Amino acid sequence: MSQENKVSKSKLHGLWALTNRELKKWYKAPVVFVLTLVQPILWLGLLGNALNLRSLVSPDSLALPPSLVAEFTADQLALLQDFISGLGNSMMQGTFGTDSYISFMAVGMIVFTALFTTMFSGMSIVWDRRLGFLNKALSTPVSRAVIILSKVLSATLRAMFQATIILIIAIPFGFAVGAAFTPLSILGVYAFLFLLCVGLSSMFIAINIRSRSNETPMAVMNLLNMPLTFASSAFFPISRMPGWLQAIASVNPLSYAIDGCRQLLINDTINYSQLLFQYAYVGIFAVVLSSIGIILSWRYLNK
Amino acid sequence: MSQNEDVIKVENLTKVFNKTLVAVDHINFNVKKGEIFGFLGPNGAGKTTTINMLITVLKPTSGKAEILCHDIAKQSDAVRYSIGVVPQEYTADEDLTGLENIMLCADMYGIPRYISKKRAADLLELVELTKFKDKKTQTYSGGMRRRLELASGLINRPKVLFLDEPTLGLDVQTRAATWNYIKTLKKEFGMTLFMTTHYLEEADSLCDRIAIIDHGKIVVVGTPEELKDSIGGDIITLSIQKNTDITDIIKKIPQVKEVKLDDKTYTIKTESAELTAPLIIEAIRKEGHIVSKLSLTKPTLNEVYLQYTGKSMRDQADESRERMGHGLMMRRPH
């Protein structure tokens, strides 16, 4: 055979080409790219500041009635205000593990963004089917698993990039790392995000793989999105939820990724056995869901 | 490989959807090396299903097919490496440029970059898209997108090229231009072409052999000439002023072989139209009817098509135009 007919017979050939195809739709479209950066600013700026829970317990919000103030000396009053302030801090510490809600929420936000990014990328398989690209790809020697993996990989890379941006943007809003933070923690956060995104995007692709309409998967995903976000520790700690909600939130893989990231980023001490369990939980989620995704792709793309 | 070896061999190929819908029903045909083989049939006849099985996108329910001696079900990767596909839809990614799209195809075939870069440039030159290669395909016209699909389908230097309705929805000029490209490509690369089409004139002038498929079954295979001869003679079409059935009157004339009434028009088969026509007019006039329209035709594929499928190609064209008007095409049955 002449050199002209040389082809790669690697099982993974085409993976990067197909992944890059998805990514180009994002980084080559300036409007989309800028919007993905603006969105976290809005979330952090609006929700993070509007829900300023720290201010609930502060000398301003707990002002004493004037009749009571008159009974204290100035020194006693200052002491009382310090006490209220301290009470506020310890309430925040006790509930959120940090005295800044912005820090708490920013970590929830990175995972929440991962959920959204993977959700939308799950739709792309429906479009590929509708526009005939999927059939074209299936007629080439590219492996069926690679078609699925490229979508998982592009969603994962994109979500990881966006998470980085959110954390950077959160700094001027008051995001502060905890005492246990080291540069290595960032790699740990990426590992969590990677595992979570692989699991989530495999799940959304599995939901969409047979569908030819946009509406049904959209409805299913919107339905899933709400409990996944709010029955998790994204915006409020699980330990302070009612019992039934705790039960749901404590099987939600998002909670484990979020809690793990919080340990790495904003907590003052790291519980390593807990951290290991969190990695294991999210890791198993990723392996199980991506296996399901690949099995389904073999089943439905090989009819 | 010798000149007459069969490139595509199809034996009792069958596809059943959802256990009840028989889309392709025990079809048999062979395609010889270097020929253009045309698949003609009404909508829903099983053309696209057949092509999807041959290009290894669908698994046959039963029967088998070989492409260059590779079994489509058991050696699908070997088949995929040796074929090119130009699908019915515009599959190029609208957010990518023409060049990016063709390179994506090259990467899906695992062609090393140092080869594919040169090849992509040559192919874009061939389909006259070099000037637009860095423009996003969403800015391309229908004809340009079709040419890009053609170029993409050739990136792996296929020995067999599958074209699924390559001119569907294109205007007459673009259609003619597309056919010129296809002819050039065939000459240049010496490929075997398998195509489906709605357009009889094109099948007639381009295809070496044609199979007519209807309700999932192949009704006839042959060269355009053989098929036309099989009609057996010339055709007279006529209509009369009054809306009465005069089939019996025409049938009485000995030279008339067959009469069909379709939408107030009589289609009459005879050995020689020139000699029979005066006899028919005479007979009709005797019964007090007046001929309003009359035409004599030597058989074309249109008549062949009508003969074997019972449908006129005119209805087909209307149907397909309607389909194109509905925006996204969703017609692959699953």
Side-chain angles (χ1 to χ4, degrees):
Chain A
M1 200 177 267
S2 76
Q3 198 197 23
E4 281 288 284
N5 287 320
K6 216 167 118 185
V7 289
S8 153
K9 302 252 173 173
S10 146
K11 283 273 169 250
L12 284 178
H13 80 257
L15 179 60
W16 176 245
L18 284 167
T19 305
N20 201 20
R21 162 180 178 251
E22 307 274 344
L23 290 177
K24 271 179 184 164
K25 287 173 187 291
W26 168 58
Y27 69 74
K28 281 209 167 177
V31 177
V32 180
F33 194 72
V34 167
L35 282 181
T36 57
L37 300 186
V38 169
Q39 198 208 18
I41 300 182
L42 289 177
W43 271 91
L44 282 170
L46 296 178
L47 190 63
N49 285 322
L51 277 182
N52 188 0
L53 297 178
R54 172 69 185 83
S55 70
L56 286 180
V57 185
S58 70
D60 292 336
S61 59
L62 293 178
L64 296 168
S67 58
L68 210 61
V69 173
E71 298 197 11
F72 290 103
T73 66
D75 279 357
Q76 280 174 323
L77 215 56
L79 201 66
L80 194 64
Q81 288 196 342
D82 280 355
F83 172 72
I84 292 173
S85 222
L87 196 67
N89 281 342
S90 80
M91 180 205 79
M92 291 299 287
Q93 279 288 353
T95 308
F96 298 112
T98 167
D99 54 14
S100 129
Y101 182 65
I102 278 277
S103 303
F104 179 85
M105 205 198 89
V107 181
M109 269 299 298
I110 61 175
V111 173
F112 176 66
T113 310
L115 174 68
F116 253 84
T117 308
T118 51
M119 191 173 101
F120 281 110
S121 77
M123 290 298 298
S124 71
I125 190 128
V126 180
W127 277 109
D128 281 357
R129 194 187 278 286
R130 291 187 67 163
L131 298 177
F133 178 83
L134 189 62
N135 260 17
K136 169 89 190 175
L138 289 174
S139 75
T140 70
V142 80
S143 140
R144 273 67 191 133
V146 161
I147 295 175
I148 299 303
L149 283 177
S150 70
K151 296 206 178 288
V152 171
L153 196 61
S154 65
T156 303
L157 290 175
R158 199 174 142 171
M160 284 164 75
F161 179 83
Q162 275 170 302
T164 313
I165 296 292
I166 290 171
L167 288 179
I168 293 169
I169 287 171
I171 293 169
F173 280 107
F175 177 82
V177 291
F181 177 83
T182 64
L184 217 64
S185 308
I186 294 177
L187 290 180
V189 170
Y190 278 138
F192 266 123
L193 280 174
F194 179 80
L195 293 173
L196 185 72
C197 290
V198 166
L200 285 175
S201 55
S202 303
M203 180 173 86
F204 288 126
I205 288 165
I207 290 172
N208 286 329
I209 198 156
R210 290 198 68 185
S211 180
R212 7 195 91 248
S213 85
N214 292 334
E215 286 74 21
T216 322
M218 257 324 217
V220 172
M221 288 192 296
N222 270 326
L223 197 72
L224 275 174
N225 161 40
M226 184 81 173
L228 277 174
T229 312
F230 290 99
S232 82
S233 53
F235 299 108
F236 206 75
I238 295 178
S239 55
R240 303 297 157 98
M241 292 176 182
W244 63 270
L245 194 55
Q246 277 193 22
I248 302 171
S250 56
V251 291
N252 185 347
L254 260 71
S255 301
Y256 290 86
I258 294 166
D259 291 342
C261 290
R262 285 208 178 108
Q263 285 216 60
L264 291 165
L265 287 173
I266 59 170
N267 286 10
D268 290 334
T269 51
I270 293 176
N271 179 340
Y272 283 99
S273 65
Q274 215 174 46
L275 189 67
L276 202 68
F277 181 69
Q278 283 154 346
Y279 272 121
Y281 194 94
V282 183
I284 289 169
F285 170 71
V287 169
V288 170
L289 267 293
S290 55
S291 312
I292 292 175
I294 288 172
I295 290 167
L296 284 181
S297 76
W298 272 104
R299 196 162 142 60
Y300 292 120
L301 299 182
N302 262 322
K303 289 231 277 192
Chain B
M1 198 179 277
S2 76
Q3 196 58 45
N4 288 324
E5 200 165 325
D6 290 332
V7 169
I8 304 176
K9 281 182 254 180
V10 176
E11 264 172 53
N12 289 321
L13 196 65
T14 303
K15 181 70 187 179
V16 183
F17 291 111
N18 299 325
K19 294 193 172 125
T20 49
L21 180 72
V22 185
V24 174
D25 193 359
H26 295 88
I27 59 170
N28 293 283
F29 63 88
N30 291 348
V31 178
K32 295 188 190 82
K33 186 173 190 271
E35 76 177 346
I36 301 184
F37 191 86
F39 229 45
L40 270 175
N43 290 328
K47 300 189 298 283
T48 300
T49 306
T50 307
I51 241 184
N52 279 344
M53 283 193 280
L54 294 178
I55 65 175
T56 74
V57 167
L58 277 178
K59 279 225 153 70
T61 309
S62 66
K64 67 174 209 167
E66 282 180 7
I67 292 175
L68 297 158
C69 300
H70 302 302
D71 188 293
I72 55 162
K74 290 176 201 133
Q75 298 161 288
S76 32
D77 260 347
V79 172
R80 286 170 192 146
Y81 276 110
S82 54
I83 62 169
V85 178
V86 181
Q88 201 177 98
E89 302 93 342
Y90 297 142
T91 61
D93 196 314
E94 295 205 334
D95 296 317
L96 305 186
T97 67
L99 182 65
E100 283 171 334
N101 266 301
I102 199 168
M103 289 305 285
L104 175 65
C105 263
D107 289 341
M108 286 198 287
Y109 282 99
I111 304 166
R113 281 270 156 152
Y114 69 95
I115 295 173
S116 60
K117 269 186 191 156
K118 168 93 175 58
R119 224 183 257 181
D122 290 348
L123 285 169
L124 285 168
E125 186 66 45
L126 189 75
V127 297
E128 294 171 70
L129 284 176
T130 307
K131 232 168 59 181
F132 307 97
K133 70 180 167 55
D134 293 321
K135 291 248 187 321
K136 285 190 178 180
T137 52
Q138 55 190 240
T139 64
Y140 283 22
S141 69
M144 286 160 77
R145 295 201 64 170
R146 189 51 78 191
R147 267 138 62 196
L148 181 64
E149 297 291 335
L150 268 177
S152 303
L154 292 165
I155 192 73
N156 61 323
R157 297 268 164 93
K159 297 192 177 69
V160 189
L161 184 67
F162 289 88
L163 301 140
D164 194 3
E165 317 235 10
T167 54
L168 187 68
L170 297 180
D171 61 56
V172 180
Q173 277 172 309
T174 321
R175 244 161 71 192
T178 306
W179 277 112
N180 275 333
Y181 285 115
I182 292 175
K183 275 197 248 179
T184 317
L185 297 175
K186 196 205 160 209
K187 218 190 267 169
E188 201 138 314
F189 297 103
M191 284 175 305
T192 306
L193 262 66
F194 180 96
M195 51 165 282
T196 68
T197 185
H198 268 108
Y199 299 110
L200 283 167
E201 321 86 277
E202 290 166 345
D204 197 358
S205 66
L206 281 145
C207 293
D208 299 309
R209 282 194 310 141
I210 292 166
I212 293 179
I213 180 169
D214 196 21
H215 300 298
K217 288 185 173 138
I218 289 184
V219 284
V220 65
V221 187
T223 66
E225 280 63 42
E226 282 168 1
L227 295 185
K228 279 182 249 175
D229 287 348
S230 74
I231 290 279
D234 299 353
I235 284 156
I236 303 169
T237 45
L238 67 82
S239 27
I240 56 166
Q241 278 179 350
K242 274 191 214 145
N243 195 7
T244 38
D245 194 342
I246 54 160
T247 312
D248 290 338
I249 303 167
I250 302 169
K251 265 188 185 160
K252 276 184 198 147
I253 300 159
Q255 284 87 342
V256 170
K257 283 183 180 170
E258 203 187 313
V259 185
K260 261 189 200 160
L261 178 58
D262 179 28
D263 193 22
K264 291 176 196 165
T265 306
Y266 296 87
T267 308
I268 302 153
K269 274 193 212 163
T270 176
E271 201 67 55
S272 160
E274 294 89 339
L275 296 178
T276 317
L279 300 175
I280 294 172
I281 297 169
E282 187 61 31
I284 291 173
R285 190 177 287 155
K286 258 187 202 160
E287 298 289 327
H289 297 291
I290 299 162
V291 175
S292 60
K293 255 191 226 164
L294 177 86
S295 70
L296 314 180
T297 37
K298 297 284 164 191
T300 67
L301 265 191
N302 208 0
E303 281 76 41
V304 177
Y305 191 86
L306 189 63
Q307 161 96 5
Y308 286 104
T309 66
K311 285 173 208 157
S312 147
M313 215 53 193
R314 198 172 350 103
D315 311 336
Q316 286 289 309
D318 289 345
E319 242 178 83
S320 68
R321 210 172 298 135
E322 205 173 276
R323 191 150 52 80
M324 290 300 290
H326 284 305
L328 289 171
M329 283 178 292
M330 306 276 296
R331 67 183 293 259
R332 269 159 294 144
H334 274 270

